Amino acid sequence: ATSAGHATLRVFGVVVRKRPCRTTPAVDVRSLYVHRLPPALDPEGLEGELGAALGDDLRVRVWRDGRLDFPDRARLRCRTHDLALLAWRRLSQSKFAPDLSWTSTPPPSEASGE
């Protein structure tokens, strides 16, 4: 278990047959997702709520393609992994915490009992 906590395995590391493996290096992960957004939340409202949770030094801009974007999910892309990690830490202290994910797959909901 301590092998999985190694710095090179942060974020997406696993242990397979007692050997640490990395599926994706942490430094390559620069996006995070917020799932289960209210359907009535428009882009401006989402910008405001995310901006309030992220603080004044991190800016957020929301845009939707329509064809490819799910209305109940937002992807936050950052310039570096360090900025993505900072955004994660701040959002994990907000109302968005239960719905944060490093992947496009939503985390299990508490209501589903998973």
Side-chain angles (χ1 to χ4, degrees):
T2 56
S3 297
H6 191 270
T8 59
L9 300 177
R10 268 190 310 211
V11 180
F12 292 102
V14 295
V15 176
V16 177
R17 294 187 181 154
K18 298 182 183 179
R19 289 182 171 53
C21 304
R22 52 180 181 180
T23 55
T24 303
V27 294
D28 291 346
V29 180
R30 294 182 296 202
S31 292
L32 55 123
Y33 296 83
V34 181
H35 300 273
R36 294 186 271 282
L37 295 170
L41 191 61
D42 62 354
E44 291 81 22
L46 181 58
E47 273 183 26
E49 290 192 28
L50 286 172
L54 290 171
D56 294 335
D57 57 337
L58 287 177
R59 282 191 59 224
V60 64
R61 186 179 72 178
V62 174
W63 68 93
R64 298 242 160 125
D65 187 346
R67 296 172 292 132
L68 302 175
D69 291 335
F70 293 95
D72 65 339
R73 176 177 80 196
R75 177 181 179 190
L76 282 74
R77 289 185 276 187
C78 302
R79 291 184 187 264
T80 66
H81 172 70
D82 290 336
L83 287 174
L85 194 56
L86 178 61
W88 177 277
R89 287 180 179 144
R90 290 183 181 176
L91 289 174
S92 67
Q93 302 298 317
S94 73
K95 70 176 188 174
F96 298 107
D99 300 315
L100 279 178
S101 173
W102 288 104
T103 66
S104 59
T105 305
S109 67
E110 293 175 11
S112 69
E114 294 181 56

